[in-house]
Amino acid sequence: MRAKTFTYRLKYITQLLLDMTPAQREQVKLNIQSIQPEITVGDIIQPIFDISPQCPHCHSLHFNKWGKSGSVQRYRCKECAKTFNIKTKTPLAKLHKCDLWLQYAECMELKLPLRQAAKICNINLKTAFLWRHRFLEVQSEQYKDKLSGIIEVDEFFLAYSEKGTKKLNGDRVARKRGGEVDKRKRGEQVAVLLSIDRSKHMIDGVLADDTASEISSHLEPYIVKDSILCSDGAWAYVSIAEETNCDHKRLISNENRVQDKIYHIQTVNGAIAHFKGWIDIKMRGVATKYLPHYLAWFRESYAGLNFQQMLVAAYR
């Protein structure tokens, strides 16, 4: 079709849509969706495997197709004689009902609680829990972003939690949901670092201790030199700014919360408030051992990843 003809027809169709009622436009939308081919998990994952195909057992490049398991292609390695598929030795290995993964990823895009996701996908609650943490496993262990330009950073604290554990460690007494923690006791709280630049790149980390060395190890490797670091008055950030050759804006007093109308830490503080509200209210609290997974989930959501991109991130 010629460009001029296409442009003319597009304008004509657009005018027709504008003249329709909302119900009629919805019907057109449903008709278009019905003729579109349904995307499967294989359609998303297979191209990633095809970029660098190799045996996951011995890393050989020599293998043959070896039948199918359902809709999933299997292979047999010529070197080690083992069989595998595109999910073998990935975080998604040995998970069943892969035809529901995209629907479950949609639930994760909406940041739905477990019970809602399990009901929508018609799966067991334990299965929903397993899928959630497998989907987040890879992202919680690696950071692809670098922070540059104007960088905001701050730490915050969450109550240490052993949610879901039948027997608590040590002499800890069970704390009722929403119960207050004793901030004077070591081990009652967990320190978390969160940093964001103005391009929406995010770095986070659960700190073993709220010390300068811990903060530096989680933040310094991801800062692009000659950036501008905005922080509170913590001395840890002074040395980080010096090591990365960054201009450092220390925002200490209430009268000095914004410098030159652009340097502040309000963006990162807003993200922290959003994360804490999501964890405490919608998720009803999370176990500390799973906190890196929820930070990864929050990072994906903040970056605007859709459900297909979340599934790709889980596979990698």
Side-chain angles (χ1 to χ4, degrees):
M1 184 183 296
R2 293 181 179 180
K4 287 185 178 180
T5 304
F6 174 77
T7 303
Y8 173 78
R9 291 185 179 180
L10 181 61
K11 288 181 179 178
Y12 177 69
I13 293 170
T14 303
Q15 188 58 49
L16 287 177
L17 289 171
L18 292 174
D19 293 338
M20 291 180 184
T21 65
Q24 289 172 333
R25 285 196 291 269
E26 183 64 25
Q27 186 61 49
V28 172
K29 178 183 174 182
L30 293 173
N31 289 343
I32 293 173
Q33 290 177 344
S34 66
I35 62 176
Q36 288 178 334
E38 185 178 350
I39 299 175
T40 65
V41 172
D43 294 333
I44 296 173
I45 295 178
Q46 188 70 48
I48 302 172
F49 175 82
D50 291 340
I51 292 172
S52 180
Q54 61 179 350
C55 171
H57 304 290
C58 67
H59 306 293
S60 170
L61 302 179
H62 306 290
F63 53 85
N64 294 324
K65 290 185 177 180
W66 199 256
K68 287 189 175 183
S69 177
S71 60
V72 179
Q73 179 66 55
R74 291 195 60 80
Y75 303 91
R76 185 176 186 273
C77 180
K78 293 181 179 180
E79 300 292 335
C80 66
K82 292 183 178 179
T83 60
F84 60 92
N85 60 33
I86 58 177
K87 300 181 296 178
T88 302
K89 292 197 174 181
T90 72
L92 304 181
K94 299 182 179 180
L95 294 183
H96 303 293
K97 299 182 179 180
C98 60
D99 55 309
L100 295 175
W101 288 356
L102 281 172
Q103 188 178 26
Y104 188 79
E106 288 186 70
C107 295
M108 292 195 66
E109 182 184 351
L110 297 172
K111 297 198 290 188
L112 298 181
L114 276 179
R115 294 185 186 279
Q116 273 186 261
K119 185 176 181 180
I120 291 171
C121 298
N122 194 27
I123 56 177
N124 186 274
L125 192 62
K126 291 182 178 179
T127 302
F129 180 83
L130 175 64
W131 286 7
R132 172 185 286 181
H133 293 287
R134 286 285 194 90
F135 279 29
L136 298 170
E137 186 177 317
V138 174
Q139 289 295 88
S140 68
E141 296 173 353
Q142 63 182 10
Y143 302 106
K144 297 178 182 177
D145 286 344
K146 287 283 188 179
L147 302 173
S148 61
I150 300 175
I151 303 168
E152 301 179 31
V153 61
D154 204 359
E155 321 101 76
F156 63 99
F157 294 87
L158 294 172
Y160 176 79
S161 172
E162 294 181 23
K163 180 181 178 180
T165 304
K166 292 182 179 179
K167 187 176 181 181
L168 300 181
N169 291 326
D171 299 326
R172 288 190 68 244
V173 178
R175 186 175 62 248
K176 290 185 178 180
R177 183 181 298 153
E180 295 293 329
V181 298
D182 190 344
K183 297 180 180 179
R184 297 168 298 178
K185 289 185 179 179
R186 190 177 182 86
E188 283 292 306
Q189 293 189 104
V190 180
V192 181
L193 180 77
L194 190 66
S195 184
I196 302 171
D197 67 15
R198 298 296 166 82
S199 298
K200 288 194 171 184
H201 299 130
M202 180 183 289
I203 294 294
D204 54 63
V206 180
L207 307 178
D209 287 296
D210 186 25
T211 60
S213 60
E214 269 289 294
I215 292 173
S216 178
S217 66
H218 281 82
L219 181 63
E220 191 175 315
Y222 306 102
I223 293 181
V224 175
K225 291 184 181 298
D226 301 318
S227 298
I228 301 171
L229 184 64
C230 302
S231 72
D232 58 15
W235 284 103
Y237 302 117
V238 176
S239 60
I240 291 173
E242 290 176 353
E243 289 294 327
T244 55
N245 197 30
C246 287
D247 186 10
H248 188 201
K249 306 293 184 181
R250 296 183 75 201
L251 307 158
I252 303 173
S253 64
N254 288 330
E255 294 78 18
N256 193 30
R257 299 301 290 175
V258 180
Q259 293 184 16
D260 300 328
K261 297 183 179 180
I262 57 171
Y263 303 119
H264 55 77
I265 56 174
Q266 294 173 0
T267 304
V268 71
N269 285 336
I272 288 171
H274 183 188
F275 178 77
K276 292 174 75 173
W278 173 54
I279 289 296
D280 292 339
I281 299 173
K282 199 165 185 178
M283 295 292 133
R284 306 289 182 90
V286 301
T288 297
K289 64 180 179 181
Y290 293 124
L291 193 52
H293 290 187
Y294 286 90
L295 285 167
W297 190 359
F298 184 72
R299 195 165 64 244
E300 289 181 345
S301 177
Y302 191 82
L305 269 62
N306 62 35
F307 66 97
Q308 293 184 23
Q309 292 169 323
M310 285 186 169
L311 187 60
V312 170
Y315 179 72
R316 290 175 176 170

